[in-house]
């Protein structure tokens, strides 16, 4: 099974840089909006956030730019759940131009479930979210990863 499509967007003219393709910052915006869609899918919608004061914070994001995206493109973002624990979700997002099969960019994201109150801090997921995460991971976990995966950035052999 492959990643599950979760978000789709047209490219806004303001997102295009002087090279004629999407400026790098807007890839992050698309992943952020896809994360909102993931939250909705898991039941962490606006009503949940208002009622519980809980939400997801992005702890870390690694982007990999693989192909150009142009203003005429439509981007579909798909998600895979790579892992989770009581408070965190490790997700991979694939940004593909429609109808291309190969990703134009990928992102690996670590998300933290947080309660926003006087003592903002990590807060465990309710059982329902763990069940939803387990089901989504089962749907996508066996898929071949197109996300390059975590690695550090360095110039090898240079001091």
């Amino acid at each position: 099974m492959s990643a599950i499509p979760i978000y789709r967007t047209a490219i806004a003219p303001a997102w295009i840089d002087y090279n004629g393709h999407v400026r790098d910052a807007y890839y992050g915006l698309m992943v952020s909006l896809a994360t909102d869609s993931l939250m909705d899918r898991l039941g962490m919608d606006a009503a949940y956030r208002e009622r519980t004061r809980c939400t997801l914070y992005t702890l870390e994001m690694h982007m990999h730019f693989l192909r150009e995206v142009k203003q005429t493109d439509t981007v579909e973002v798909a998600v895979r759940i790579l892992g989770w624990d009581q408070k965190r979700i490790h997700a991979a997002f694939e940004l593909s131009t429609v109808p291309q099969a190969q990703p134009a960019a990928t992102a690996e994201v670590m998300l933290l479930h947080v309660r926003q109150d006087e003592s903002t801090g990590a807060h465990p997921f309710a059982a329902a979210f763990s069940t939803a995460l387990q089901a989504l991971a089962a749907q996508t976990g066996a898929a071949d990863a197109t996300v390059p995966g975590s690695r550090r950035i360095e110039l090898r052999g240079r001091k």
Side-chain angles (χ1 to χ4, degrees), residues 78-102:
V79 67
R80 294 179 60 235
I81 302 301
L82 302 176
W84 77 95
D85 63 17
Q86 300 167 351
K87 301 174 188 175
R88 296 174 297 175
I89 301 171
H90 182 193
F93 292 92
E94 301 170 2
L95 292 77
S96 300
T97 56
V98 177
Q100 297 293 321
Q102 295 302 313

